[in-house]
DNA sequence: CTGAAAGCGCTTACAG
DNA sequence: CTGAAAGCGCTTACAG
């Protein structure tokens, strides 16, 4: 099959009777080519099924039309959905996606060098698992190499750094307030031992709401692992009063709810429970779990769109984008 | 900062007092370079923080050391975990990952052309959402371009096509048999309306086990959406006997279990329930859900490893790899 | 509007 | 063991 003998810009140029420069122009700056010529070339491109080699194009043009996605824990449920949003926009703007994970204990500096050498046009950093220093390093090296970065679902205070997220503190404040208004008083926040910025904000919003209502805030930091936190709950609440709990993640909230019910408490009558993220865990729980809906798909889509603008050098009106959250009321509160 | 003025193979060669060919050799065939020279070059590489440009290297060497991951629905929980396995092995073998999603209604032929033009060295196709014709097209175009493909968690009967999966039929057979042995008789399989190969295999294994025991197999095809299937269950089981159900996914099983309990049935005493995949849904359910553990991480890791062998032209001992599943017994059965 | 030529940053036979 | 040169498949000033 001669047709499959690798069709390059040369084959197209030859068959269309033009130079390769013209073929290139037809693809990249069609308006600079006379309509007749353009149509002829286009026809040949179509007949041959020609597609420019992305690698060669990347080398010559110094743009790879590829974005790098940096993420620590790919297995988190929210990451998958964020990918959905990112990918949909990436397709729309014809960007390819390169995935970089940051496993525990990886040589982070090496990883950054790899990313640079992979020549992505822009980077999306997902979630909050890197520490401040790591993010700084990322921003620094990308800055030096002229690679724009958007932080997606990362709380990073520097007002100059593009980020897309929601107001977790406010969300937590509102959720806590709603629980207080439903009549609960001994409300815990169930947070994680490992300190994430997001969870700190959630704790903050919770505390404010509790203090405003003259109640004592109580933070219990536990594991994300169901078996571990179950034991932890059993031990801690053996002789503690409680009539409400907010989990910083749905899975923690559900785990707590199971514990409370098995301890003979009625949910929501005796104990109200609520979570964050509005994942499928919330709808599969019984009773169903009230949760803060984080528009994860949108965070992905908006940050990717944001990044395309930065890569094109477009004007940016707002560097910090905050998307709306919603309380999804269900049976547990 | 002159240091950041883009360090290329030229800068290294110049500073080390060798030709760029030697620098290239130090990186790609160090054994062909005299130790002294090699060390000198290595030192300069280190000082300058040089990393070869992946794009240029890809163009010159005709190998991008990049694999493409093709997946339809990134938001599925199992995909995230498979990414974990893939990514860990990819890092180990120094491959970059390019992610290609196949949204509903995309021009599939165009997508394939894009993938080819992106010049990946190999492709991993995840999960079972493409139809037979689409897989064939993929294999065909990759074959013509000399790009190896491994199917991960896809059931595809052609014995020539590399794939890594588990024996879903056997798993389902065993699970059903175990439920029968626990004394249940009116056991349903809760499958999906949309027909996936995997789910067909699960139905098959279930049927065999039921028929062997002289019981009547009953397939109920429903939606993966919790709200929809709940209504469906309520309607269908209004006047049907049942004392057991196997969901083709944990989420369906949990949804059914909630339904059964709210209908006043005791789980597992009156109704046994089990699922597939052993996701977090299973451990968060109350009672906890018996489930078939699919080693999703391993499927990812093994197929990626498999692919590296194919890309290196290594001998393959086995084209179809079947990993082991396990029944994780919990409270629901 | 079009073409010839240089160049993107590497790798790899080919000589020596 | 090392270097000079061609080439990977494109893009992009520069002329005309």
């Amino acid at each position: 099959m001669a047709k499959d003998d690798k069709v390059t810009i040369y084959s197209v140029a030859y068959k269309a009777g033009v130079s390769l420069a013209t073929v290139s122009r037809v693809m990249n700056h069609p308006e600079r080519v006379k309509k007749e010529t353009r149509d002829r070339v286009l026809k040949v491109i179509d007949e041959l099924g020609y597609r420019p080699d992305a690698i060669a194009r990347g080398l010559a043009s110094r743009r790879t039309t590829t974005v790098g996605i940096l993420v620590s824990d790919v297995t988190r449920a929210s990451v998958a959905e964020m990918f959905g949003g990112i990918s949909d926009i990436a397709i729309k703007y014809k960007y390819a996606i390169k995935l970089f994970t940051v496993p525990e204990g990886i040589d982070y500096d090496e990883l950054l060098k790899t990313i640079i050498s992979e020549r992505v046009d822009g980077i999306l950093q997902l979630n909050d698992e890197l520490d401040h220093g790591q993010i700084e390093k990322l921003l620094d090296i990308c800055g030096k190499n002229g690679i724009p970065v958007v932080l997606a679902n990362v709380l990073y205070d520097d007002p100059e750094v593009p980020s897309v997220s929601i107001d977790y503190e406010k969300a937590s404040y509102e959720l806590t307030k709603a629980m207080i208004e439903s009549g609960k008083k001994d409300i815990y926040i169930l947070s994680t031992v490992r300190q994430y910025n997001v969870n700190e904000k959630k704790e903050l919003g919770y505390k404010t709401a509790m203090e405003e209502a003259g109640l004592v805030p109580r933070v219990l930091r536990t594991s994300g692992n169901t078996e571990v936190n179950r034991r932890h709950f059993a031990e801690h609440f053996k002789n503690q009063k409680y009539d409400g709990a907010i989990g910083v993640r749905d899975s923690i909230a559900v785990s707590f709810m199971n514990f409370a019910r098995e301890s003979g408490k009625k949910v929501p009558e005796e104990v109200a429970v609520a979570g964050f993220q509005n994942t499928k865990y919330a709808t599969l729980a019984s009773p169903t779990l009230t949760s803060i809906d984080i528009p994860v798909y949108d965070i992905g889509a908006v940050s990717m769109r944001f990044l395309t603008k930065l890569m094109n050098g477009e004007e940016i009106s707002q560097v910090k984008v905050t998307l709306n959250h919603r309380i999804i009321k269900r049976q547990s509160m």
Side-chain angles (χ1 to χ4, degrees), chain A:
Chain A
M1 264 197 177
K3 188 176 169 303
D4 282 325
D5 260 19
K6 170 101 58 176
V7 10
T8 69
I9 197 169
Y10 295 100
S11 9
V12 175
Y14 178 77
K15 187 158 178 201
V18 296
S19 76
L20 66 170
T22 299
V23 177
S24 175
R25 261 182 230 110
V26 168
M27 310 220 62
N28 299 306
H29 311 281
E31 72 288 354
R32 296 191 202 157
V33 180
K34 191 166 56 174
K35 187 168 183 332
E36 270 172 64
T37 328
R38 195 198 312 149
D39 289 346
R40 187 150 38 93
V41 173
L42 249 19
K43 188 155 159 278
V44 175
I45 287 176
D46 188 50
E47 285 169 12
L48 262 39
Y50 170 68
R51 276 297 196 105
D53 180 313
I55 301 300
R57 187 201 276 246
L59 184 58
S61 69
R62 258 141 292 196
R63 299 189 67 223
T64 55
T65 46
T66 300
V67 298
I69 312 287
L70 236 179
V71 57
S72 298
D73 184 1
V74 258
T75 66
R76 270 173 58 179
S78 60
V79 170
E81 242 192 287
M82 230 182 283
F83 275 163
I86 293 167
S87 168
D88 285 350
I89 302 298
I91 290 175
K92 192 166 163 191
Y93 288 90
K94 300 193 182 305
Y95 278 89
I97 293 174
K98 262 187 186 164
L99 185 61
F100 300 96
T101 57
V102 193
E104 288 284 324
I106 201 182
D107 184 334
Y108 185 69
D109 293 348
E110 276 304 305
L111 175 66
L112 290 182
K113 285 171 74 176
T114 301
I115 295 177
I116 299 301
S117 76
E118 291 284 343
R119 292 264 309 265
V120 293
D121 290 345
I123 287 178
L124 237 44
Q125 159 67 41
L126 308 192
N127 293 341
D128 231 5
E129 291 137 337
L130 297 183
D131 61 43
H132 193 87
Q134 287 177 310
I135 303 238
E136 247 176 11
K137 266 189 189 170
L138 170 69
L139 294 170
D140 181 54
I141 194 167
C142 287
K144 279 182 185 155
N145 287 276
I147 301 172
V149 177
V150 173
L151 306 178
N153 205 27
V154 180
L155 300 174
Y156 191 81
D157 285 331
D158 185 334
E160 305 282 298
V161 178
S163 16
V164 178
S165 187
I166 73 151
D167 189 337
Y168 283 97
E169 185 175 341
K170 190 168 158 220
S172 186
Y173 173 84
E174 290 169 3
L175 186 60
T176 310
K177 203 164 170 189
M179 198 177 271
I180 294 169
E181 281 166 1
S182 80
K184 307 299 180 192
K185 293 192 176 344
D186 297 310
I187 303 171
Y188 274 76
I189 188 161
L190 310 170
S191 190
T192 52
V193 174
R194 180 157 169 199
Q195 305 223 342
Y196 300 110
N197 279 333
V198 247
N199 291 347
E200 281 170 19
K201 297 283 184 194
K202 290 173 194 167
E203 292 176 20
L204 225 66
Y206 157 83
K207 278 184 191 158
T208 311
M210 291 295 278
E211 281 161 4
E212 272 185 24
L215 300 171
V216 188
R218 299 176 208 273
V219 182
L220 180 65
R221 294 212 176 78
T222 187
S223 156
N225 179 288
T226 308
E227 286 177 36
V228 179
N229 61 34
R230 274 297 280 279
R231 258 181 277 125
H232 193 181
F233 293 149
E235 192 189 323
H236 182 267
F237 289 108
K238 213 161 25 187
N239 27 31
Q240 294 289 328
K241 257 176 73 181
Y242 63 96
D243 60 8
I246 290 172
V248 294
R249 292 185 206 155
D250 282 346
S251 59
I252 293 177
V254 170
S255 189
F256 175 81
M257 186 160 73
N258 289 339
F259 155 76
R261 293 184 73 207
E262 283 161 31
S263 312
K265 304 274 192 181
K266 283 196 178 129
V267 176
E269 294 82 354
E270 297 170 21
V271 179
V273 184
F276 271 89
Q277 209 86 331
N278 192 29
T279 55
K280 211 168 176 179
Y281 302 134
T283 56
L284 279 175
S286 169
T288 54
L289 183 75
T290 291
S291 187
I292 294 281
D293 181 66
I294 313 283
V296 182
Y297 175 95
D298 295 343
I299 292 180
V302 169
S303 26
M304 180 63 203
R305 176 66 184 109
F306 193 169
L307 188 57
T308 63
K309 287 185 188 168
L310 293 172
M311 293 185 295
N312 285 327
E314 292 176 32
E315 270 305 311
I316 300 303
S317 52
Q318 213 183 353
V319 175
K320 296 282 181 195
V321 180
T322 303
L323 301 183
N324 291 326
H325 59 269
R326 288 181 309 154
I327 299 184
I328 309 291
K329 284 245 182 192
R330 294 206 183 83
Q331 299 163 344
S332 68
M333 168 184 140

